[in-house]
Amino acid sequence: MTYWFLATLELDETVDKSTIRRAYARKLKTIDPAADPQAFQALREAYETALRWVEYADDADEEEDDPPPLATEELAGEVIAAVDSSLARDHAAPLESPAASEPDPRALAQQRYAALNRRALAVASTDQFSALMQSELDHPDLFNLRARDVFHALLVDDLFSARAHHYEWIEAAIQVFRWDADFLHNLGDPWARQELSNWLIEREVLAGRTGGQHVPEYLKRANLTTEPKKVEKRLAKAIVEALHLVRERCPTMNRYLVNPEQADKWITHYPQRAPAAPVPAAKSGNNYWWLWLFMLLPMLRHCDSGPSAPPYVHPSILSSALSEKHAVIKPSEGKIDQCEHEYEALYALLGLAQKNDTSKREWMGRCLALKNYPIPEAQHKKAQPPPRTSAQVDANK
Amino acid sequence: MNDAVTPIIGIDLGTTNSLVAVWKNGQATLIPNALGEYLTPSCVGLDEDGSILVGKAARERLQTHPQRTAALFKRYMGSNRETRLGKKVFRAEELASLVLRALKEDAESYLGQPVIEAIITVPAYFSDAQRKATKAAGQLAGLRVDALLNEPTAAALAYGIHDKKEETKFLVFDLGGGTFDVSILDLFEGVMEVRASAGDNLLGGEDFVEVLQQEFLQRTALDIEKSKQPAVVRQRVREAVERAKRQLTQTQHAVIELQVDGVTHQWQVTEEGFLQLSEPLLQRLRRPVEQALRDSRIPVAELDNVVLAGGATRMPIVRKLVGKMFGRLPASHLNPDEVVALGAAVQAGLKMRDAALAEMVMTDVCPYSLGIEITRRVSGNTSHLVPGHYMPIIERNSAVPISRVESICTVAENQRELLVRIYQGEGRLVKDNIYLGELRFPVPPRPAGEVSVSIRFTYDVNGLLEVEATVDESGQSHKVVIEENPGVLSQEEIAQRFRILEALKIHPREQAENRVLLARADRLYEQSLGGARHFVGDQTAVFQSVLERQNLEEIRRARSEFARALDSVETGSPLE
């Protein structure tokens, strides 16, 4: 069996990036996109899918040996110096004598990031944090795009690693980088992108609740207070309510803002009556439980019966997972029922597939081939409920 | 080139200057205007006799007749803003059409045959309405404009053809008079693929002039409104500052000096000072670059080149910024003023299927996302519906043409109607995006969420968006082509205005040179004092009397003398 996208490009499976590009170029010249948009779209889709497929496969194969090429990094510093001097030459009089040994962009970014962290110790409010971030970004060392990129990556990585963080810190980054102004949340790291989307939705959940704006403050108190029983009663009640709310409705914030041990201490100390707004038990917890179920069942079937029965995976999940080649970073080791995210589930599935000795590359191809896999009508209907399918999108349900 | 084919011209319709070029004998060739120059200022003026002046003559008159002259109208394309010239009122696309008409005449006179079709360039980040207005301007000028071309893509085409490299990736940094665009290009196997575009429609060289002007007025405590002729003084300040900005591309400092109502105002600006004043503008140049790079998924280190386009990239402060951002020298071996027009000519050649370009294909992207408004269910105290969220259907920087479908469903019990509002932009909420149009249709009454509707967005190579909604249950479909929105003329209006514009008296092309000299003399007369002023007045009178005698040979001779006389006033000390 050949994958549809390779068939469209008239290629077999022994391809690399450049053969795909060549095949695409060859086919494109036989099409007039203006006159035949359908043909162009079909070709384009095949091309993009094939590129992702081969990229993913290469990535999976070379996961280990991926240290940044140091030589080029060092070179960059010299180039900057050369630019400065040459620009100076262009000009009537030299502006500044180029420094003899300009450090490389990565080092510059790390320096600035360290400085940011140092200075951050002295501030507390979101506005102060964002002023600080902005001032670091405006530092001449971060003029270089590569340095800036590294700085951005360091920050994103720090914000969305499991380390407990201030609410203000994340909010400040959202402000400074205007992440909320762009639905694509182009953070580079797909994990971070997903986390940020969740964060933004959870922010709306809080906003839609009376007193929701104080929740982050209560969470902070919960983390800091060592002896819950000594806290004044009304405050304690508010804190426990906030903890419950975040635990139930805002899993992302819960992960970043709440120290779980502290939270347990509070909740056991002040056991609550029935939750304020009862949530149907079956629907609480994971967002996409029905999706995992849906993916898991056929996947297991697939594992049992071999390659002949490929599972059904919603195409949007695949495309989002595939476009993010680094999603591999945080897999859930096959524990599908604990996955918080679509692609996590997908990689968990991948893990299962691997145990079954199917190579990643082939498996990915198999998933992609599903575009043409006939889906029984009833199943299809079930696979299409809320998520992006509606004029309504369920958030946190 | 096949002679039987009517040539398609490529036009760079700029904020400050416009150019026209054509694909000829296997290469892109710029076409000179009646004055023998490639750059035609995008200025339109109304002469005392009621005829229309375009280009340099109009720009000269900006100072002497600010009430009867218009410039920088590209910034108002796609809006309903009107400009008054004397007693006549014009929309931006009408003013643009007058410039286009002049360029068309230049091309016809150069090629010796009528021109009916043109490719016009627009900033990549131009909105739907701005694109439509540009097309309307073409129509109003009597040109068929099937395709608009994004400016940075045009620049890239010019470089791509020029370099003839097998495989290369590069970034085009296009800072024009009024707009800023960034595009990332990937050239391989004869395919020129635009990977991503981003930009800022309200950032250009004119903004740098503006910061200098503000500072000059503040430093010299010159209050334009309190002078005797505010409109004239304003224009003279602008010219003086513009000259200083140009001076700063050559030297480290420049002096702005101006006499207003007998008082001399003077300020010296250094490059360092200019850099500080421009800092906020330079900061705004970064964001589109970063966004385009992320969207293209090409690491900075993999770019083979950074290419400059647009006249404002001549400014050393901009070049230095680019150099520092990329850690390398930007390429500018093609003239940044001309590169976009040359690229438009290449595209014209592609469209004519010229043999020299047979092995070349170009694909572009849609630089902004297109989507609809949706209602989200958010659970707070109680689960409630929040309207105003944005759901993109075509994500930005997808290769065009493209067609995408998403499925939505009803939110209310027994909902009878569905309203699909269509937007362009990147904001999470529709209030941050641009409204394009809407589609309203009935749906069968069912419980909430049970009626699903497929929304298909189709975006073609010419930037036309078609939206089709199909109710899945009944298969009934509803379609809308986003054509008419506020700030865009309808086809009837275009036809009507075309007739009005056609009736306008246009200053004859043959006399363009004489007209420019006279306008320039007027300006010098106003600028100078004492002896120089008398000299200009006398020279003008002499030239006018020669014009009246209508002896072509005599006029030609008198013209060169007149020009020399004016040169001497301009380079001498007119403000003595």
Side-chain angles (χ1 to χ4, degrees), chain B residues 276-332:
Chain B
Q276 274 168 15
L277 291 173
S278 311
E279 195 53 47
L281 296 175
L282 294 174
Q283 287 295 347
R284 278 168 68 193
L285 291 172
R286 308 170 143 287
R287 193 166 282 277
V289 174
E290 287 171 30
Q291 189 192 308
L293 276 168
R294 289 221 178 93
D295 286 356
S296 74
R297 299 155 62 87
I298 294 179
V300 192
E302 276 181 28
L303 290 176
D304 297 309
N305 220 338
V306 178
V307 164
L308 298 180
T313 57
R314 288 179 193 284
M315 286 189 282
I317 53 170
V318 172
R319 288 194 175 210
K320 277 181 196 160
L321 177 82
V322 175
K324 284 188 177 152
M325 280 170 83
F326 291 94
R328 81 180 80 201
L329 277 176
S332 53

Side-chain angles (χ1 to χ4, degrees), chain B residues 212-373:
Chain B
L212 267 188
Q213 176 171 331
Q214 290 306 327
E215 188 69 10
F216 168 73
L217 293 178
Q218 210 173 18
R219 292 288 183 103
T220 60
L222 169 60
D223 191 340
I224 294 179
E225 300 310 321
K226 282 189 183 146
S227 66
K228 285 178 191 151
Q229 287 174 288
V232 173
V233 173
R234 187 174 305 121
Q235 198 52 46
R236 280 180 56 202
V237 171
R238 190 88 185 169
E239 291 278 327
V241 172
E242 171 69 39
R243 261 199 307 277
K245 186 195 83 176
R246 242 174 286 151
Q247 176 74 33
L248 283 172
T249 64
Q250 314 280 329
T251 55
Q252 294 270 306
H253 50 80
V255 177
I256 305 175
E257 192 177 289
L258 202 68
Q259 251 184 9
V260 179
D261 303 334
V263 184
T264 306
H265 299 269
Q266 194 199 39
W267 177 51
Q268 175 173 327
V269 55
T270 60
E271 190 188 286
E272 189 58 38
F274 187 29
L275 180 70
Q276 274 168 15
L277 291 173
S278 311
E279 195 53 47
L281 296 175
L282 294 174
Q283 287 295 347
R284 278 168 68 193
L285 291 172
R286 308 170 143 287
R287 193 166 282 277
V289 174
E290 287 171 30
Q291 189 192 308
L293 276 168
R294 289 221 178 93
D295 286 356
S296 74
R297 299 155 62 87
I298 294 179
V300 192
E302 276 181 28
L303 290 176
D304 297 309
N305 220 338
V306 178
V307 164
L308 298 180
T313 57
R314 288 179 193 284
M315 286 189 282
I317 53 170
V318 172
R319 288 194 175 210
K320 277 181 196 160
L321 177 82
V322 175
K324 284 188 177 152
M325 280 170 83
F326 291 94
R328 81 180 80 201
L329 277 176
S332 53
H333 47 276
L334 295 180
N335 183 335
D337 283 317
E338 297 169 355
V339 62
V340 170
L342 289 173
V346 174
Q347 177 68 7
L350 282 171
K351 193 155 187 238
M352 292 187 292
R353 300 200 166 268
D354 191 86
L357 295 167
E359 282 304 293
M360 192 72 194
V361 195
M362 200 259 301
T363 64
D364 209 337
V365 293
C366 171
Y368 31 68
S369 303
L370 297 162
I372 59 171
E373 177 181 358

Side-chain angles (χ1 to χ4, degrees), chain A residues 144-396:
Chain A
N144 183 284
L145 278 170
R146 295 173 66 187
R148 219 175 162 81
D149 232 24
V150 175
F151 183 85
H152 184 263
L154 287 171
L155 182 70
V156 167
D157 192 45
D158 232 9
L159 286 184
F160 298 104
S161 62
R163 268 170 258 174
H165 256 291
H166 305 301
Y167 177 80
E168 291 81 3
W169 200 224
I170 295 181
E171 285 292 319
I174 291 174
Q175 249 177 44
V176 169
F177 293 97
R178 288 194 240 157
W179 285 333
D180 56 343
D182 181 1
F183 69 88
L184 279 181
H185 308 326
N186 220 335
L187 302 193
D189 180 357
W191 161 267
R193 176 177 166 176
Q194 182 71 50
E195 291 292 86
L196 176 65
S197 321
N198 291 346
W199 180 279
L200 293 173
I201 292 170
E202 288 171 16
R203 203 159 67 160
E204 280 171 39
V205 173
L206 291 189
R209 224 183 139 88
T210 19
Q213 71 272 27
H214 303 302
V215 167
E217 206 46 50
Y218 292 140
L219 298 182
K220 209 181 283 170
R221 289 294 288 269
N223 287 345
L224 293 176
T225 314
T226 42
E227 289 187 69
K229 55 187 166 215
K230 284 187 185 161
V231 173
E232 190 250 324
K233 234 193 176 147
R234 268 181 57 191
L235 178 62
K237 190 170 164 251
I239 290 176
V240 174
E241 254 173 35
L243 285 171
H244 274 292
L245 169 72
V246 172
R247 193 174 269 197
E248 280 157 22
R249 302 278 170 79
C250 309
T252 313
M253 288 193 175
N254 189 46
R255 209 145 3 96
Y256 290 111
L257 303 179
V258 177
N259 175 343
E261 285 168 30
Q262 280 291 103
D264 284 342
K265 229 191 254 179
W266 280 88
I267 287 169
T268 47
H269 204 272
Y270 294 97
Q272 256 204 341
R273 311 145 309 264
V279 184
K283 283 195 176 177
S284 68
N286 294 322
N287 287 355
Y288 299 110
W289 60 273
W290 50 269
L291 248 178
W292 309 325
L293 200 67
F294 219 78
M295 286 159 62
L296 179 64
L297 292 175
M299 186 59 229
L300 292 174
R301 196 170 68 226
H302 166 60
C303 294
D304 289 338
S305 56
S308 60
Y312 171 68
V313 180
H314 193 279
S316 73
I317 300 172
L318 275 170
S319 67
S320 73
L322 287 169
S323 60
E324 323 288 23
K325 57 179 189 169
H326 297 297
V328 195
I329 309 167
K330 282 137 186 158
S332 284
E333 304 285 317
K335 284 179 246 161
I336 292 167
D337 53 340
Q338 284 171 26
C339 298
E340 298 263 0
H341 301 281
E342 299 160 347
Y343 60 84
E344 248 191 295
L346 183 77
Y347 283 105
L349 285 173
L350 270 180
L352 283 181
Q354 267 186 319
K355 279 182 202 150
N356 223 27
D357 263 340
T358 320
S359 86
K360 271 193 184 178
R361 182 166 170 161
E362 196 199 326
W363 202 85
M364 289 315 293
R366 211 163 273 292
C367 287
L368 291 166
L370 292 175
K371 256 189 67 99
N372 294 346
Y373 181 67
I375 303 148
E377 199 48 36
Q379 279 192 4
H380 184 68
K381 276 266 143 60
K382 260 193 209 159
Q384 293 277 341
R388 297 188 79 207
T389 58
S390 39
Q392 111 203 25
V393 174
D394 258 290
N396 294 286

Side-chain angles (χ1 to χ4, degrees), chain B residues 456-524:
Chain B
R456 177 175 287 281
F457 271 43
T458 307
Y459 190 84
D460 73 9
V461 282
N462 299 322
L464 205 64
L465 173 66
E466 187 188 276
V467 178
E468 185 183 12
T470 311
V471 181
D472 293 344
E473 189 183 305
S474 60
Q476 212 174 13
S477 80
H478 309 269
K479 215 181 256 187
V480 64
V481 177
I482 303 299
E483 199 142 37
E484 283 162 36
N485 41 30
V488 176
L489 295 174
S490 70
Q491 283 304 319
E492 297 93 76
E493 284 175 300
I494 291 176
Q496 190 194 343
R497 278 163 203 257
F498 180 73
R499 281 192 297 278
I500 297 172
L501 286 174
E502 224 181 14
L504 282 177
K505 200 157 49 140
I506 306 280
H507 208 85
R509 190 173 182 275
E510 312 78 64
Q511 288 173 29
E513 233 171 314
N514 304 337
R515 199 65 198 81
V516 170
L517 282 177
L518 285 173
R520 186 174 163 210
D522 277 355
R523 168 172 64 82
L524 287 173

